[in-house]
Amino acid sequence: MGRSVDVVVTRYGFGVACERIEIIEASHPLPDEAGLVASRRLLEAVSGLTADDLVIALVSGGGSDLLPAPPEGLTLADEIAVTVRHACLPSRSLGRCHLDWPSSSELQAGNAGGQDQRNAYRDNA
């Protein structure tokens, strides 16, 4: 069996000590610098993988805030602004909100694989 990299990202106050699993706490509902570190750590964990490697990932509610990853040309402040704009518009569905989020993140909506998957969200919004 090859190497195993075990990383969990959770919001502040929910991390527990683990022997083999790296726990990173970050902010929710607004992204923060710790979330940027977590995003980089996850990307580092999967860098260099091939088609023969297996990745098991669970991203549940809060992933957009816990894992900010603004693309080149945008900042953490830009990503926070997107989050605040959507948080202040409770009448918008989550699917509609996802139309903006992918363009402000390197990780969300399939962007971690290097492909923009915004159309998948548009179809389901």
Side-chain angles (χ1 to χ4, degrees):
M1 182 186 252
R3 72 180 178 106
S4 175
V5 178
D6 304 308
V7 181
V8 171
V9 181
T10 189
R11 66 185 206 186
Y12 293 118
F14 287 81
V16 295
C18 292
E19 193 172 305
R20 289 190 20 202
I21 301 171
E22 178 182 358
I23 306 293
I24 303 171
E25 292 183 320
S27 179
H28 181 280
L30 291 178
D32 69 354
E33 189 70 33
L36 280 175
V37 170
S39 295
R40 290 183 192 120
R41 179 65 185 106
L42 289 177
L43 288 171
E44 175 186 300
V46 299
S47 68
L49 296 181
T50 70
D52 295 325
D53 294 307
L54 173 66
V55 174
I56 299 173
L58 166 66
V59 181
S60 63
S64 299
D65 301 321
L66 292 170
L67 297 170
E72 188 174 327
L74 295 179
T75 66
L76 178 60
D78 295 325
E79 196 155 335
I80 290 170
V82 169
T83 301
V84 168
R85 182 170 67 239
H86 294 300
C88 294
L89 297 171
S91 62
R92 291 185 76 176
S93 71
L94 184 59
R96 295 299 305 165
C97 293
H98 280 157
L99 292 175
D100 284 342
W101 276 324
S103 61
S104 68
S105 177
E106 289 290 323
L107 281 177
Q108 297 163 31
N111 291 342
Q115 294 185 352
D116 186 338
Q117 299 295 319
R118 281 177 276 185
N119 288 331
Y121 286 104
R122 284 195 180 96
D123 294 340
N124 295 310

